[in-house]
Amino acid sequence: LARVRFVRFSGIFLTAGVDEIHFDGVPARITNPARTMIDSLRLTRLIDRETALEAMRESLRSRLVTSSSLLRMARACAAWAWAPPFLPVTASR
C-alpha cells in the first residue's frame, strides 16, 4: 500500500493551477496536470527528479500537457529553477 502524504501550500500555490470540481455535489480542489508536473519537480523530498522528469516526458508525449502550459505554470509558481532543460525557455523569465 502507498502511504498518503499531506502537503500544505500557501500564497500563490493555493490558487495557481487549482481547479474546483464537484463529486456528488461535494466541492474538491485538485491541481491541473501542468501544476502537478511542476509540483513533482519542486517537491524533491517526496518524488525523485528522474521519476518526475519521466512523468513529464510521458505527459508531453501523450499531450496531457503542452510545453507552453508547463512554462506558464512555472512562471505563475515562480518555479523557473525547477523547469527541466528540455523545455524551451525564453528570455522573458
Side-chain angles (χ1 to χ4, degrees):
L1 290 177
R3 287 190 286 167
V4 174
R5 293 187 182 195
F6 292 93
V7 180
R8 294 182 190 209
F9 294 110
S10 62
I12 190 69
F13 296 108
L14 286 175
T15 56
V18 176
D19 300 327
E20 185 166 305
I21 61 170
H22 291 81
F23 293 103
D24 293 329
V26 178
R29 297 179 59 200
I30 61 170
T31 58
N32 64 30
R35 166 65 187 273
T36 302
M37 293 296 103
I38 294 301
D39 282 347
S40 69
L41 291 170
R42 286 185 332 102
L43 302 172
T44 56
R45 71 183 189 282
L46 301 177
I47 184 169
D48 67 274
R49 187 163 174 86
E50 189 54 42
T51 302
L53 289 173
E54 183 181 335
M56 185 170 290
R57 284 186 203 105
E58 183 56 34
S59 295
L60 286 164
R61 209 173 298 132
S62 66
R63 299 180 184 206
L64 188 59
V65 298
T66 63
S67 58
S68 62
S69 69
L70 291 171
L71 289 172
R72 278 193 306 274
M73 191 53 55
R75 183 179 294 125
C77 294
W80 285 106
W82 297 285
F86 57 82
L87 288 179
V89 179
T90 64
S92 63
R93 282 185 179 194

